[in-house]
């Protein structure tokens, strides 16, 4: 199927229009089993995919809870997201929960349900009570949230989609199923959900506008908590002519005129809800708002066609019984998509919108993994996700860290470190999976121009590892830390090095020594742990192979040959220093070419040589024995980060025993690549079945308890979603 760019799909922004009176809905659409259809291009692609993730519930507080937050939906990189009320939330029916908005780097709730749609019968002077429907239809389908009510002779349907990266479009359709003319006036109500303490409590304020209502924000620079400026806005604009009154934290918007409905007629109301950070964003979004209000059907159809393409691509090789899980993975990745804002110059994917620490930034190896899976259904977003990190690659003309030329920072956020951003991290990088990701995205539609653009950046990144992270110059690199004000002690440097591995608190880094790396002039250019990590060097081996393929593809056979020769030498070096024949497994090795550090015990990093293709057949057999042993890695939820018989095994200890789906996937692929297909299939199936909520409507979690399968830490975690999709497609 021909790929359509987001530019062709996404709108710009919206304007006012009176309620439209539409022809009668066909009889079949009047039953609850067949509600009034949307004006999109059809619903067949969503068959069987309703509520793949439970999005029901209202927030209790402005600040989301750390544990078990509500699930939300966003699209097109918007920085605000919504959910659905439950049928028991009578006072909030007709509204979408939230929105959850990102205050530059931190998620907060603006309201329980900011825009609640209602109707008043002008002749009887009674409100239409949506809660009178004993079984309303409140569901999330891929790309759209819907509510449907059969009450008082009316069939009322609301749909929320995204028009562009700053604006959600909501349509309310009212179909008259009675026998006498009706005269109905629409209204919208809402209120702010305030925080309990300052300065956040006073930050938002309500204001009536000519076409709706706006929330303005005061400037609050509360780092690690809440960040807004005086330009931050949340604006609701209506197509119909309206008037708004504000009383403290509550507002009511009322249509200027009622609509008259004959039996069988339908009226449609449209409004746009936009969240912007700057005046320039708000002005730029004007055309999209105007289009959505003037042509809501067109915007809805465009969104439906885009989601149809997403699902047709992502689910094309997924077994019928697993289509819902695959759709949930796609929805998770799209909800975590953030568009350019602040110092984030391109679209990318955050780890989790529902995690306070992860909602407003991009991480390096997260991005590598997310991009590979995203390329299946949106290659353009995958390309942008990779390039968003390389936008901030350190260059030789850097004024503060020229020694790090080629390095890609660990994490990027709305505010960079030079402007006071506390989450931006240049203390370390992340494991070198970028070349793998670029090659995979290229093969999935990224384009030759993208490959040519990325190749020199990848070469610079690859060279940096050997220049600043190979302490003894023996060709085996170490995780380490940069020369950075935050890395001001041995312990801080060790911590940064552990972060650089991505396995922050893994036992193998407990008490590790840190060594200074110097250039020829004796200047310190970085720091290394006093151990050469097996996973890092396997990733570097794989990177050489992928770079060689790129060079050959781009017409540089000599360069490709040199890279392959380097890879051959590194493969032999890894096998000689990290594999222990006595225990049949791979480990980090000591400095200066020392042997494997078997005293650290077995960790999942020892499976990476299989994924990279470094292991010999005999070595792979040894690793396979450990990975399939119930006393080691074959736990009920298989492939923990630390083997069960390791003295440091902790089933709740983040990287000390929890199951992470990225590492599990690398191990499964490695087993399959070495011919252990039956083991790979069995482990993959066990993972999918044991992971709490995965095959149901629960969120995809950051990691899982190896003994119970309980989901742990972040909900709606992007790289887990990416590898769920990869496993399902491989299956």
């Amino acid at each position: 199927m021909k790929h359509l760019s987001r530019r062709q799909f996404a709108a710009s922004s919206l304007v006012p229009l009176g309620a439209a009176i539409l022809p009668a809905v066909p009889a079949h659409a009047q039953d609850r089993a067949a509600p009034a259809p949307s004006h999109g291009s059809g619903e067949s692609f969503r068959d069987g995919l309703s509520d793949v993730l439970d999005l029901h519930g209202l927030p209790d507080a402005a600040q989301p809870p750390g544990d078990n937050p509500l699930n939300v939906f966003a699209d097109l990189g918007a920085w605000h997201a919504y959910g659905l009320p439950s049928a028991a939330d009578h006072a909030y029916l007709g509204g979408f929960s939230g929105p959850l908005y990102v205050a530059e780097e931190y998620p907060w709730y603006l309201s329980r349900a900011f825009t609640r749609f209602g109707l008043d019968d002008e002749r009887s002077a009674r409100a239409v009570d949506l809660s009178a429907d004993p079984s309303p239809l409140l569901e999330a389908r891929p790309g759209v949230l819907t509510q449907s009510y059969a009450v008082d002779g009316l069939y009322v349907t609301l749909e929320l989609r995204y028009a562009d990266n700053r604006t959600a479009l909501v349509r309310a359709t009212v179909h008259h199923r009675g026998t006498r003319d009706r005269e109905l006036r629409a209204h919208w109500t809402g209120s702010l959900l305030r925080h309990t303490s300052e300065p956040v409590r006073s930050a938002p304020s309500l204001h009536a506008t000519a076409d709706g209502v706006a929330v303005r924000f005061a400037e609050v620079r509360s780092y690690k908590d809440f960040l807004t400026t005086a330009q931050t806005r949340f604006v609701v604009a209506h197509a119909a002519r309206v008037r708004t009154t504000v009383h403290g934290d509550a507002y009511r918007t009322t249509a200027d005129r009622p609509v008259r409905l004959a039996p069988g007629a339908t009226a449609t109301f449209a409004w746009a809800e936009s969240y912007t950070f700057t005046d320039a964003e708000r002005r730029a979004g004007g055309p999209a708002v105007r289009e959505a209000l003037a042509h809501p059907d067109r915007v809805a159809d465009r969104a439906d066609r885009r989601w149809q393409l997403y699902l047709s691509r992502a689910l094309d090789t997924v077994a019928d019984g697993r289509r819902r899980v695959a759709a949930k993975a796609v929805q998770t990745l799209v909800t975590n998509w953030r568009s350019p804002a602040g110092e984030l110059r391109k679209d990318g994917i955050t780890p989790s919108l529902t995690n306070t620490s992860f909602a407003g930034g991009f991480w390096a190896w997260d991005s590598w993994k997310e991009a590979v899976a995203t390329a299946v259904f949106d290659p353009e977003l995958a390309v942008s996700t990779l390039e968003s990190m390389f936008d901030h690659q350190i260059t030789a003309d850097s004024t503060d860290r020229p020694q790090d030329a080629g390095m890609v920072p660990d994490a990027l956020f709305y505010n960079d470190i030079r402007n006071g951003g506390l989450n931006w991290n240049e203390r370390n990088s992340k494991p070198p999976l970028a070349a793998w990701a670029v090659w995979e995205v290229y093969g999935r539609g990224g384009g030759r121009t993208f490959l040519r653009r990325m190749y020199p950046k990848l070469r610079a990144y690859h060279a940096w590892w050997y220049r600043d992270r190979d302490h003894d110059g023996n060709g085996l690199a170490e995780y380490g830390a940069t020369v950075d004000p935050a890395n001001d002690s041995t312990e801080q440097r060790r911590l940064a090095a552990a972060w650089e591995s991505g396995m922050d608190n893994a036992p193998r880094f407990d008490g590790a020594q840190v060594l200074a790396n110097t250039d020829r002039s004796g200047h310190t250019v970085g720091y290394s742990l006093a151990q050469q990590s097996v996973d890092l060097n396997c990733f570097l081996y794989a990177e050489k192979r992928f770079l060689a393929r790129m060079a050959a593809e781009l017409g540089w056979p000599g360069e490709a040959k040199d890279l392959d020769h380097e890879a051959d030498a590194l493969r032999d070096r890894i096998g000689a220093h990290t594999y222990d024949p006595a225990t049949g497994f791979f480990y980090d090795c000591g400095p200066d070419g020392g042997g494997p550090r078997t005293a650290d015990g077995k960790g999942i990093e020892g499976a990476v040589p299989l994924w990279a293709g470094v292991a010999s057949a005999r070595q792979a057999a040894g690793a396979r024995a450990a990975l399939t042993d119930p006393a080691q890695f074959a736990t009920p939820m298989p492939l923990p980060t630390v083997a069960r018989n390791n003295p440091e095994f902790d089933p709740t200890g983040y990287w000390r025993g929890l199951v992470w789906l990225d590492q599990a996937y690398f191990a499964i692929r490695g087993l399959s690549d070495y011919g252990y297909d039956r083991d790979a299939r069995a482990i993959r199936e066990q993972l999918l079945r044991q992971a709490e909520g995965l095959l149901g409507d629960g969120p995809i979690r950051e990691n899982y308890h190896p003994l119970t399968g309980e989901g742990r830490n972040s909900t709606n975690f992007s790289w887990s979603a990416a590898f769920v999709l990869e496993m399902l497609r491989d299956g």
Side-chain angles (χ1 to χ4, degrees), residues 46-61:
R46 295 189 176 108
D47 287 350
L49 299 179
S50 293
D51 295 323
V52 296
L53 178 64
D54 181 7
L55 296 178
H56 300 86
L58 299 171
D60 293 323

Side-chain angles (χ1 to χ4, degrees), residues 6 76-78 165-166 337-341 344-349 362 380-389 391:
R6 289 197 306 283
L76 290 172
N165 61 18
R166 294 295 184 271
W337 168 9
R338 302 278 76 78
S339 55
L344 303 177
R345 301 171 191 166
K346 290 186 175 69
D347 295 80
I349 298 175
F362 305 152
E380 186 179 347
L381 175 57
V383 165
S384 181
T385 295
L386 289 170
E387 293 192 323
S388 66
M389 296 303 305
D391 281 343

Side-chain angles (χ1 to χ4, degrees), residues 62 173 189 306 484 528 604 682 712:
T173 303
T189 57
R306 176 167 51 85
D484 187 279
S528 284
I604 197 65
R712 304 283 296 188

Side-chain angles (χ1 to χ4, degrees), residues 4 8-9 41 300-310:
L4 300 179
Q8 292 170 286
F9 284 131
S41 57
D301 180 70
R302 188 158 55 227
D304 286 349
R305 287 188 291 113
R306 176 167 51 85
W307 275 91
Q308 183 170 7
L309 183 60
Y310 284 173

